[in-house]
């Protein structure tokens, strides 16, 4: 049975029972408790179930609505399939022993899911959700950046987060953005832009994840000029103006399709 099929069965079983223990699920599906724990972590990260110590319960409508309110929740739902394909394409850029900064964003949440299937990565993130997802693979080494908690996107921000980022040196920074034009990539939130900048400063290579809705947009805060980007992973080829700027900057553009 494929993991996705097993996870669908878990959701269905919890929908009928309300809640079940890890032991009950493992016995019903004839798999190990560790497999069930990994499945529950992934399902919890996707908002399908609510994991608790020793088991999980179905995500009720009232709980789901309460926990998913706000602009970030809306961004998670927008272009979800495109973001999933971008994440899968981006995951192929990395290999065992690579070290990655991953910032908080709707596309990097999908990216975390894609990275679970890889082996032996070192991942540093300011997102508890992303950290929990990638940590479901025990071969990964995960560091969670602390700081002031931004409740909308569930992320660590501010001076403490920036200070901790400065303690690392990594091979890759993987960032999401709010907008991209022919000059730079941008974000709509100052603190999120500062986190992305700090990660980029401490990384050898920079990979930007951006679906087509980010093209030819303007945001208030510049994150980084195009010349600092190594790879852009997107779902649709950009228009002529941006494509020309990307080519001039020597950026490798990967289109997930």
């Amino acid at each position: 049975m494929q993991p996705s099929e097993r996870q669908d069965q878990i959701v269905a079983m919890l929908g009928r029972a309300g809640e079940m223990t890890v032991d009950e699920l493992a016995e019903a599906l004839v798999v190990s408790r560790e497999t069930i724990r990994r499945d529950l972590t992934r399902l919890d990260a996707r908002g399908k179930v609510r994991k608790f110590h020793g088991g999980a319960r179905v995500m009720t409508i009232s709980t789901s609505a309460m926990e998913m309110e706000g602009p970030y929740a809306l961004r998670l739902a927008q272009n979800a399939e495109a973001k999933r394909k971008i994440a899968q394409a981006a995951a192929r850029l990395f290999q065992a022993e690579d070290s990655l900064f991953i910032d908080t964003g709707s596309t990097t949440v999908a990216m975390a899911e894609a990275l679970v299937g890889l082996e032996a990565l070192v991942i540093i993130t300011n997102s508890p959700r992303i950290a929990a997802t990638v940590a479901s693979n025990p071969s990964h080494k995960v560091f969670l950046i602390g700081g002031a908690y931004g409740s909308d996107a569930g992320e660590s921000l501010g001076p403490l987060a920036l200070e901790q980022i400065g303690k690392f040196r990594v091979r890759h920074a993987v960032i999401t953005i709010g907008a991209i034009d022919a000059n730079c990539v941008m974000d709509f939130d100052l603190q999120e832009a500062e986190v992305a900048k700090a990660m980029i400063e401490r990384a050898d290579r920079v990979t930007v994840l951006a679906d087509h809705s980010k093209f030819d947009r303007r945001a208030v805060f510049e994150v980084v000029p195009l010349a600092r980007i190594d790879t852009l992973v997107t779902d649709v080829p950009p228009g002529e103006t941006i494509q020309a700027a990307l080519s001039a900057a020597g950026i490798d553009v990967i289109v997930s399709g």
Side-chain angles (χ1 to χ4, degrees), residues 24-94:
E24 289 170 339
L25 289 166
E27 182 179 355
L29 295 172
V30 196
V31 294
S32 70
R33 287 176 291 180
E34 188 58 35
T35 295
I36 293 297
R37 290 190 186 98
R38 287 197 296 268
D39 286 338
L40 293 178
T41 296
R42 295 171 193 175
L43 290 169
D44 183 276
R46 289 157 49 194
K48 298 291 187 180
V49 305
R50 176 56 63 234
K51 185 180 177 183
F52 58 84
H53 182 69
R57 62 176 59 92
V58 67
M59 180 73 83
T60 65
I61 294 175
S62 59
T63 301
S64 178
M66 178 179 64
E67 295 184 357
M68 296 297 287
E69 287 179 344
Y72 181 70
L74 296 178
R75 296 199 300 273
L76 281 173
Q78 291 169 348
N79 301 324
E81 181 60 19
K83 292 172 181 176
R84 185 184 66 81
K85 291 181 178 179
I86 289 170
Q88 291 176 337
R92 291 193 284 271
L93 297 172
F94 311 114

